[in-house]
């Protein structure tokens, strides 16, 4: 991602205050990338791993795919509260070391129950999303925080695109199951790097002129959580069956092409997130409404995409919605974090986010089984349309002002 997304702070602001400078935010982003890389790269290969563990047909692949997500959601509020009490740096290190231990257990597992336990521990002991964002929110505020959160999302999107490719490239030499042992090095290296960073402290208030331009006024937790849940649900629901849908609609399409189609929305985020933040940091409610609108258009387009150009177009529409939505949610989260314990807030936000992902996976499986590969995107379209209407209503100044007084 562009360095435009990074907080710009002078050395005077960064030194000795417990705050984070530009290089330190870069370091946190790099650590978040390697943690996401390790966690996202191997799950797509569960169907290749499980037959070696006593599940010849890989029937448990769908369930095990979401096990880390479920337990990450369950553990996030607890770890968030502990971070507020015992220190955000300690809990961020705990998350990276938890991933290291769980990957080692997964790579050494010789049975399906042992492997399942490792995935449970990966979810419960990991939780780098809440830990990283809570750490940043304790050191940054306002526009600096929203830019940093935007950058963290960019790290996750980059990992989502690159990790499965590297795992696949290594597979001829290292079995995907044993690659868990290799991947354990990544969060361990991240923990060593993070150990050199300071324990953050709440920064001084931003200058008035800066606060007026980027502070999201009237940010309430309930609409933030609702938008987060629905946004994750609407965007993730197209993921599980996109490859099969593309293969049905585009006979003879190569695996490389379907992989590019899958990656397009995430690539859009990497290219346009910085510019989107500049355009919508002062009007995040408008941005989230537009984001839901583009997501609805993109998902609806999947139902009628029967050629490669149309498929590319609807994936780009979805990418526009993904970028607008994620950036606007980052600005809203930065506004909501002001005056609140960041660990607890971001822990709850991760619970909500992971809940949206689990719900999306469950609905996608049910819809696909009953109505076919196009059904999940129809369900996502309906959810995104309803959220777009609600977000549009909240973007009206009079209604937002009334809501903020509640």
């Amino acid at each position: 991602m562009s360095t435009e997304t990074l907080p710009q702070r002078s050395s005077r602001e960064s030194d000795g205050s417990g705050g984070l400078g530009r290089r330190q935010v870069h370091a946190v982003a790099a650590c978040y990338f390697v943690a996401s890389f390790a966690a996202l790269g191997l799950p797509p290969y569960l169907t290749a791993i499980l037959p070696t563990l006593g599940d010849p047909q890989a029937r448990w692949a769908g369930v095990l795919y979401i096990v880390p997500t479920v337990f990450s959601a369950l553990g996030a509020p607890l770890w968030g509260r502990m971070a507020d009490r015992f220190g955000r740096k300690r809990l961020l290190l705990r998350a990276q070391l938890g991933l290291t231990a769980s990957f080692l257990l997964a790579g050494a597992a010789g049975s399906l129950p042992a492997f399942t336990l490792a995935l449970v521990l990966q979810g419960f002991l990991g939780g780098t999303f809440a830990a990283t964002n809570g750490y940043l929110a304790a050191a940054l505020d306002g526009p600096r925080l929203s830019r940093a959160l935007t950058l963290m999302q960019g790290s996750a999107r980059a990992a989502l695109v690159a990790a499965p490719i590297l795992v696949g490239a290594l597979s001829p030499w290292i079995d995907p199951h044993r690659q868990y042992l290799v991947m354990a090095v990544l969060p361990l290296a991240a923990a060593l790097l993070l150990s050199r960073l300071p324990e953050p402290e709440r920064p001084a208030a931003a200058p008035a002129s800066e606060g007026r331009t980027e502070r999201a006024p009237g940010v309430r937790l309930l609409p933030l959580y609702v938008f987060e849940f629905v946004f994750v649900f609407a965007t993730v629901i197209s993921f599980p069956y996109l490859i099969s849908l593309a293969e049905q609609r585009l006979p003879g399409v190569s695996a490389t092409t379907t992989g590019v189609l899958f990656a397009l929305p995430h690539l859009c985020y990497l290219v346009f997130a910085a510019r989107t933040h500049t355009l919508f940091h002062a009007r995040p409610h408008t941005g989230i409404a537009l984001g839901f609108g583009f997501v609805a258009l993109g998902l609806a387009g999947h139902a009628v995409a029967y050629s490669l150009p149309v498929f590319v177009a609807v994936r780009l529409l979805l990418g526009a919605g993904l970028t607008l939505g994620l950036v606007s949610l980052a600005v809203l989260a930065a506004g909501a974090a002001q005056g609140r314990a960041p660990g607890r807030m971001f822990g709850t936000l991760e619970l909500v986010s992971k809940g949206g992902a689990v719900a999306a996976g469950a609905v996608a499986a049910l819809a696909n089984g009953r109505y076919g590969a196009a059904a999940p995107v129809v369900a996502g379209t309906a959810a995104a349309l309803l959220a777009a209407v609600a977000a549009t209503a909240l973007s009206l100044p009079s209604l937002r002002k009334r809501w903020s007084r509640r």
Side-chain angles (χ1 to χ4, degrees):
M1 289 186 64
S2 167
T3 55
E4 291 178 52
T5 58
L6 292 176
Q8 304 296 320
R9 305 188 70 188
S10 66
S11 58
R12 181 182 57 82
E13 292 174 308
S14 302
D15 297 337
S17 63
L20 297 179
R22 187 176 182 182
R23 291 183 179 178
Q24 292 167 321
V25 175
H26 268 296
V28 174
C31 293
Y32 191 52
F33 172 80
V34 299
S36 300
F37 191 99
L40 295 173
L42 287 164
Y45 293 87
L46 286 175
T47 52
I49 293 172
L50 295 186
T52 67
L53 296 172
D55 182 13
Q57 304 301 319
R59 294 177 179 176
W60 288 97
V63 174
L64 293 182
Y65 192 94
I66 65 170
V67 161
T69 302
V70 171
F71 282 90
S72 177
L74 294 176
L78 169 65
W79 297 125
R81 288 193 294 271
M82 291 184 67
D84 291 330
R85 182 173 180 181
F86 298 109
R88 285 90 186 185
K89 178 181 174 179
R90 292 179 182 177
L91 270 294
L92 181 52
L93 289 172
R94 185 273 318 158
Q96 299 286 1
L97 293 174
L99 284 181
T100 302
S102 64
F103 288 156
L104 290 173
L105 290 173
S111 66
L112 186 60
F115 185 74
T116 302
L117 176 61
L119 295 184
V120 170
L121 293 176
Q122 176 188 328
F124 187 75
L125 297 179
T128 53
F129 172 86
T132 299
N133 290 347
Y135 179 85
L136 292 170
L140 307 170
D141 62 358
R144 295 186 293 250
L145 176 57
S146 63
R147 290 192 189 103
L149 297 180
T150 298
L151 179 61
M152 296 307 116
Q153 279 288 354
S155 297
R157 301 292 140 186
L160 187 62
V161 172
I165 296 173
L166 180 60
V167 172
L170 290 175
S171 294
W173 294 276
I174 307 175
D175 183 84
H177 179 202
R178 302 308 176 190
Q179 285 192 43
Y180 273 100
L181 297 173
V182 178
M183 292 295 181
V185 175
L186 297 179
L188 178 60
L192 293 175
L193 177 58
L194 289 168
S195 67
R196 301 176 61 86
L197 296 181
E199 177 66 42
E201 299 174 5
R202 176 65 65 184
S209 59
E210 186 178 25
R212 281 198 303 270
T213 60
E214 299 216 18
R215 186 175 182 272
V219 175
R220 306 288 292 179
L221 290 180
L222 179 58
L224 172 64
Y225 293 156
V226 170
F227 287 151
E228 179 76 20
F229 180 93
V230 179
F231 190 80
V232 171
F233 176 89
T235 51
V236 170
I237 199 170
S238 68
F239 292 176
Y241 300 100
L242 175 69
I243 302 300
S244 62
L245 179 63
E247 290 173 347
Q248 289 176 17
R249 300 286 182 77
L250 307 172
V253 68
S254 69
T256 300
T257 301
T258 56
V260 171
L261 289 174
F262 182 89
L264 269 180
H266 310 293
L267 293 174
C268 284
Y269 183 92
L270 293 175
V271 173
F272 297 111
R275 181 60 178 167
T276 302
H277 185 278
T278 300
L279 293 174
F280 287 94
H281 65 261
R283 41 187 182 279
H285 294 92
T286 301
I288 192 66
L290 288 172
F292 276 118
F294 276 109
V295 167
L297 286 174
L299 290 176
H302 285 69
V304 296
Y306 285 89
S307 68
L308 184 58
V310 175
F311 241 113
V312 169
V314 299
R315 296 300 289 172
L316 291 175
L317 278 174
L318 184 60
L322 187 77
T323 304
L324 280 162
L326 288 175
V327 170
S328 299
L329 284 169
V331 177
L332 290 173
Q338 294 182 9
R340 292 187 172 97
R344 181 174 182 179
M345 194 205 86
F346 281 105
T348 304
L349 192 63
E350 180 170 16
L351 170 64
V352 171
S353 178
K354 294 296 192 291
V358 171
V363 171
L366 292 172
N368 177 76
R370 186 162 186 177
Y371 300 107
V377 297
V378 175
T381 300
L385 280 175
L386 289 174
V389 172
T392 300
L394 279 180
S395 69
L396 300 175
S398 58
L399 183 58
R400 189 166 71 248
K401 183 177 180 181
R402 188 184 310 165
W403 177 265
S404 67
R405 291 176 177 174
R406 295 181 181 180

